[in-house]
Amino acid sequence: MTASASDLAVENIVIVGSGPAAWSCAIYAARANLKPLVYEGALTEDNRLRGTLPLGQLNLTTEVENYAGFPKGIQGPDLMLAMREQAEHQGTRIVTEDVVSVDLSTGTPFSLTDSAGKSLRTHTVVIATGASANYLNIPSETRFKNMGVSACAVCDGALPRFRNRPLIVVGGGDSACEEANYLSKFASTVYLVHRRDTLRASRVMAQRTLDNPKITPVWDSVIDEVLGDDSAGVTGVRVANLKTGATRNLEAAGMFVAIGHTPNTGFLKGQLKTDDKGFLVLSDPFRTTTNVEGVFAAGDVADPVYKQAITAAGMGCKAALDAERWLAAHGIH
Ligand code: NAP
C-alpha cells in the first residue's frame, strides 16, 4: 500500500537553498530543536550551467574579505563548507536534491516534491534559494556557452583554452571586477567591457581593477556579437561604442558575463509575491514573513538592496526565529 500525502510525517521546517541564509537558518533552527531539513540543491549539469549548484554563489567565488570574523579573508568555498558542517553538526538533515514544486495554496502543512520524486509535508518553509547570474541573451552568446562563454570565472577560468590568451569580462559591478582580477592571473589581457564610463563596483574593488596592468577597460561599450566557430569556440567579440556608434572587433578566447543576478524563484510558480525584478517581497521589512503564512524568505532571493553574504546570514537567522515563533504560536512546537 502506498502512503497518501496526508499520511506523510510533517516536518517542522524545510529550508530550500544552501548559501549563507540557508545554513544560518539551519543552525538556529537546529539549536531550537526544530530538526530542520535543508534541500541544498542537486548536483546536475543544468544547475552547473545556471549557477545553482549546492553552496550557492560564494562557492563560485575566491577571496571573501568582508565577512566579519576572518581578518585575513577566507576563500568562499571554505566559508560555505564550514557553514554546512556547522549546520550538520547541530543536527540539520541535508538532502542533495532540488525542490521542484511546492503547493502553498492549501495553507500549512504544505506539500513539496523534490527532484528525486519524493513528496513531503512541512509546517513551515524558508525560501533561501539565492539568485543566479544573468546573461546578455544574444543568440551568439547562447551558441558559445561552454565553448568560451561563461558566467563563472572561478569555475571555468583555469581551463587550458583561456591560458595566456586575451579574455573579455562584461559588466562594471563588484562581480565583473572580481572576475576580471581573477582572470588576469591566467589571461594575457582582460578587456573589461562596460556600458558606462564609471564602475559601479565598491571603491576598493574599482581601484584594484583600474590599477591592474593586465586589465584594459573598454568604456561606454556593449557586446554586439560573440565571434567564433564550431571548432574553436569563441575567437573574439564585436563591441559597439554607445556614444559614437562605432564597432570594433576584439580578439579573445573567452567571454565572462558578470551583469547581475536574477532571484531563483521558478519552482514557486508565482505563488509568492515578487517585485518587478522577481525578488520575493517581505510583508514586513523587519521580518522574513511573505504573503503566505508559514512561508519565510531570506537572503538574496528576497533582497534587492544589499545582497551581501553577511546580510543573507542575518536574514537566515531571522527566518529561523520567525519560523520558531510561528510554530510556537500555532501550538506545533
Ligand atoms: P551589479 O552590482 O548589479 O552590477 C551589474 C553590472 O552589470 C553593472 O555595472 C551594470 O551596468 C551591468 N549590466 C547590467 N545589465 C547589463 C546588460 N544587459 N548589459 C551590459 N551590462 C549590464 O551586480 P554584481 O556585480 O553581480 O553585484 C551584485 C551584488 O553583489 C552587489 O551588491 C555587489 O556589491 C555584491 N558583490 C560583492 C562582492 C564583494 O564584496 N566581494 C563581490 C561580488 C558581488 P550599470 O553599472 O550601467 O548598471
Side-chain angles (χ1 to χ4, degrees):
M1 201 172 75
T2 51
S4 71
S6 57
D7 294 335
L8 298 171
V10 181
E11 300 285 347
N12 291 316
I13 177 168
V14 169
I15 301 161
V16 192
S18 54
W23 297 123
S24 301
C25 182
I27 290 163
Y28 271 78
R31 288 176 58 77
N33 209 19
L34 295 179
K35 302 184 176 56
L37 183 66
V38 168
Y39 268 91
E40 66 172 348
L43 293 164
T44 60
E45 177 63 8
D46 208 34
N47 278 346
R48 194 187 79 77
L49 285 175
R50 282 188 294 146
T52 50
L53 283 173
L55 303 182
Q57 291 178 67
L58 275 191
N59 203 41
L60 306 176
T61 190
T62 50
E63 200 92 49
V64 178
E65 293 173 337
N66 52 10
Y67 198 93
F70 300 94
K72 293 183 180 141
I74 182 168
Q75 292 294 312
D78 292 343
L79 179 60
M80 294 322 299
L81 278 176
M83 286 190 193
R84 185 186 192 276
E85 192 181 330
Q86 187 176 355
E88 198 168 29
H89 176 74
Q90 299 288 349
T92 300
R93 293 160 300 139
I94 302 169
V95 183
T96 311
E97 297 289 348
D98 294 324
V99 169
V100 291
S101 69
V102 46
D103 184 358
L104 304 180
S105 66
T106 57
T108 184
F110 307 106
S111 303
L112 280 72
T113 308
D114 73 17
S115 46
K118 187 178 171 206
S119 298
L120 66 150
R121 298 170 81 217
T122 180
H123 290 298
T124 64
V125 187
V126 175
I127 312 292
T129 42
S132 46
N134 293 339
Y135 283 90
L136 298 167
N137 287 325
I138 53 175
S140 54
E141 174 198 59
T142 312
R143 176 177 169 205
F144 292 116
K145 265 188 196 168
N146 260 355
M147 290 177 72
V149 169
S150 168
C152 178
V154 178
C155 321
D156 301 326
L159 291 174
R161 65 166 291 130
F162 299 130
R163 295 221 167 221
N164 301 313
R165 306 283 308 282
L167 298 175
I168 308 289
V169 171
V170 189
D174 279 319
S175 299
C177 290
E178 200 170 73
E179 302 247 311
N181 280 292
Y182 178 75
L183 290 169
S184 71
K185 293 176 194 157
F186 308 102
S188 56
T189 301
V190 178
Y191 295 107
L192 183 62
V193 179
H194 182 35
R195 62 186 179 183
R196 295 185 296 127
D197 62 0
T198 27
L199 296 173
R200 174 181 297 281
S202 59
R203 196 176 287 197
V204 176
M205 187 67 95
Q207 202 52 52
R208 186 181 302 166
T209 307
L210 297 174
D211 288 345
N212 186 327
K214 287 177 86 180
I215 300 176
T216 305
V218 181
W219 300 121
D220 300 314
S221 297
V222 292
I223 304 292
D224 210 23
E225 190 175 351
V226 185
L227 309 171
D229 57 62
D230 287 344
S231 60
V234 173
T235 58
V237 295
R238 187 170 64 239
V239 291
N241 185 298
L242 292 171
K243 286 195 170 149
T244 64
T247 59
R248 65 175 166 134
N249 290 355
L250 295 172
E251 188 200 323
M255 180 178 87
F256 291 81
V257 186
I259 58 164
H261 293 81
T262 298
N264 297 318
T265 56
F267 72 105
L268 295 168
K269 306 221 165 41
Q271 294 175 93
L272 291 180
K273 211 181 265 176
T274 57
D275 68 10
D276 55 356
K277 290 192 176 144
F279 290 94
L280 296 181
V281 174
L282 302 177
S283 47
D284 173 342
F286 295 105
R287 308 278 306 277
T288 61
T289 44
T290 69
N291 61 304
V292 175
E293 275 238 8
V295 181
F296 306 88
D300 283 11
V301 74
D303 177 6
V305 179
Y306 301 104
K307 297 182 259 187
Q308 302 298 305
I310 200 134
T311 52
M315 286 176 84
C317 158
K318 293 204 289 186
L321 297 176
D322 284 339
E324 185 189 2
R325 285 171 195 163
W326 190 92
L327 288 164
H330 288 77
I332 295 166
H333 188 78

